[in-house]
Amino acid sequence: MSSSAIAGPDGRLRCPWGLSTDDYVAYHDEEWGRPVHGDDALFERLSLEAFQSGLSWITILRRRETFRAAFADFKIASVAAFTDADKERLLADPGIIRNRAKIDATLANARALAEWPAGELDTLIWSYAPDPATRPAPRVLADIPAVTDESTALSKALKKRGLRFIGPTTAYALMQACGLVDDHLADCVARRVVTS
C-alpha cells in the first residue's frame, strides 16, 4: 500500500487506507476526522474503539449497526441499566465481537458515565484536543503517530474517572475518529473538507 495520498476511481486523492474497501471509502470521506460531540455519540465511539483493539477497524465498521442494536444505540443510561441477562445476550450475539472483557468494560463504562453530569464526557474528551497550529498536516502515513502526549493524558484521565479498556493507543484512535486531530494526509480531499 502506498504511504502517501493516492487517487481513487473518481480521481480524487485520499489516504491510502480509505480506498481499500467501499466501506472504508464512505467512512473515510464522510466520518473519520469529522468532529463528534455529545456524550452518547462519544460513548459509542469509545466503545467501538475498545472493541476494535487487536482487530481491524473494518471488522467493527461492518458490524456497527449490529453493535448499535445490541447496545441500545449506545445510549449511556440504557446500557448502564443492562442486567446479567443482557450481558449473556451480548455474549451469545454473533453479530458483535463476543469478547467478555470488552463487553464487561462497555457495561462498566456506561455505569460510570451514567453518574457523570450531562455533557461532562464531551467536555473532558475535547479538552485534550491539541492546538491544530502545532500539528502540521501529515504528508505520508509514517508522519501519523499511534500515541501522543494528549492521548496518553486522555487515557489517564478517563481511567482515573473509572473507565476501562481505554489505553493511549485507543484514546488516540478515538481522537482521530472524532475529529480532535486531523490525520488526513495533506493531499487528501477529506482534509480540505474537515478543515474548511
Side-chain angles (χ1 to χ4, degrees):
M1 179 186 325
S2 172
S3 65
S4 56
I6 56 176
D10 59 4
R12 300 187 316 161
L13 293 175
R14 289 183 178 84
C15 302
W17 66 266
L19 287 167
S20 58
T21 71
D22 289 343
D23 296 318
Y24 268 161
V25 172
Y27 178 69
H28 170 274
D29 287 3
E30 299 165 19
E31 289 187 62
W32 193 75
R34 307 281 175 98
V36 174
H37 286 282
D39 291 348
D40 290 336
L42 288 166
F43 172 60
E44 175 184 359
R45 296 296 184 92
L46 180 69
S47 300
L48 293 178
E49 292 295 346
F51 273 102
Q52 184 271 329
S53 182
L55 303 170
S56 68
W57 179 246
I58 196 68
T59 301
I60 304 304
L61 190 60
R62 288 181 174 158
R63 297 176 184 209
R64 186 162 55 170
E65 291 308 316
T66 308
F67 269 106
R68 286 175 173 163
F71 284 95
D73 287 325
F74 291 97
K75 302 292 184 202
I76 293 169
S78 298
V79 178
F82 276 17
T83 64
D84 287 342
D86 290 306
K87 179 178 169 179
E88 293 306 313
R89 171 184 55 81
L90 293 167
L91 288 167
D93 188 340
I96 66 168
I97 305 303
R98 295 178 287 179
N99 178 297
R100 183 177 298 274
K102 293 176 182 182
I103 290 170
D104 285 345
T106 302
L107 301 182
N109 290 348
R111 290 179 187 124
L113 291 170
E115 301 296 319
W116 293 24
E120 190 166 339
L121 179 62
D122 189 299
T123 299
L124 176 69
I125 287 175
W126 277 91
S127 73
Y128 288 90
D131 178 355
T134 66
R135 295 179 50 88
R139 308 282 320 159
V140 294
L141 293 178
D143 294 339
I144 301 172
V147 174
T148 63
D149 290 344
E150 293 88 358
S151 74
T152 300
L154 174 59
S155 171
K156 286 180 182 175
L158 291 169
K159 286 179 180 178
K160 185 176 180 181
R161 298 289 303 272
L163 272 64
R164 298 168 27 192
F165 231 101
I166 179 72
T169 302
T170 299
Y172 192 67
L174 175 76
M175 294 171 76
Q176 292 174 302
C178 295
L180 281 75
V181 296
D182 182 2
D183 277 346
H184 286 285
L185 298 179
D187 295 331
C188 175
V189 67
R191 184 172 188 91
R192 288 188 284 281
V193 172
V194 169
T195 58
S196 59

